[in-house]
Amino acid sequence: VLHAGGASPIPSYDEYAAIKNERSQNYKAQNKEKIRIANREYIQSEHGKMIGRLKTARYRAKKSSLPNTLTKEQVRFLFEKQEGKCARCKTVFGVGLAKMEIDHIFPQSMGGGLVFENVQLLCRSCNAKKRDSYARYIPAFVSLEINHG
């Protein structure tokens, strides 16, 4: 297959993937420190932390064979709905030691899955105090709003 100009053939998908893979490996080999710094900065960013917490929660749900459908968009919606605050104590996430955690309203130990209707955002302290008990600190209607509006 030739380009429109007829100059050089268009590579097959496998050839393209091999070329891209080789370029990627070369870039990574030549820029290890730059990549390490960028990764560290991302992991420490609010978005990186949110994705890390979501990955941890998904891993735990998968390991326990519970429903696992929570998306990052739903976590972001909850964050905005809770105005960036803990649902229990209203501490602003990121201020002092307040770190956001995805809490299961109905605990995993009692069969509560990682689904939008079963999560709320708590600070680490409140989540630790709650332990594996049932406690809803956000109104039940909040979970329905993302599906209807």
Side-chain angles (χ1 to χ4, degrees):
V1 179
L2 296 178
H3 284 291
S8 62
I10 298 174
S12 69
Y13 178 80
D14 291 336
E15 292 169 329
Y16 170 76
I19 291 168
K20 186 176 177 185
N21 186 33
E22 182 180 348
R23 286 181 183 164
S24 177
Q25 288 178 354
N26 289 341
Y27 179 83
K28 288 176 184 177
Q30 295 171 0
N31 296 286
K32 286 182 181 179
E33 186 63 16
K34 182 179 179 179
I35 293 169
R36 188 184 66 74
I37 291 168
N39 286 342
R40 178 177 288 152
E41 288 174 359
Y42 174 74
I43 289 169
Q44 292 174 349
S45 72
E46 284 306 310
H47 186 263
K49 289 176 185 178
M50 179 184 73
I51 296 300
R53 290 182 192 104
L54 183 56
K55 284 182 179 180
T56 299
R58 282 185 181 153
Y59 170 78
R60 289 180 180 154
K62 185 177 179 182
K63 190 174 175 181
S64 61
S65 301
L66 294 171
N68 177 11
T69 60
L70 187 67
T71 66
K72 65 182 177 183
E73 289 80 15
Q74 291 171 327
V75 173
R76 184 174 290 122
F77 175 84
L78 270 178
F79 185 87
E80 290 171 6
K81 198 68 176 167
Q82 291 181 210
E83 299 175 348
K85 299 175 186 174
C86 172
R88 182 174 179 263
C89 71
K90 308 302 182 206
T91 300
V92 177
F93 295 125
V95 174
L97 299 176
K99 294 187 177 180
M100 181 186 82
E101 293 191 355
I102 299 170
D103 171 61
H104 293 79
I105 295 168
F106 192 72
Q108 282 184 309
S109 61
M110 297 178 183
L114 187 63
V115 295
F116 183 70
E117 296 78 15
N118 189 46
V119 295
Q120 59 193 346
L121 305 178
L122 298 180
C123 67
R124 182 171 286 171
S125 174
C126 288
N127 199 18
K129 289 174 189 168
K130 180 180 170 277
R131 299 180 57 176
D132 65 347
S133 62
Y134 171 87
R136 177 184 292 273
Y137 299 110
I138 59 173
F141 66 84
V142 168
S143 64
L144 301 175
E145 289 182 21
I146 195 168
N147 297 325
H148 299 113

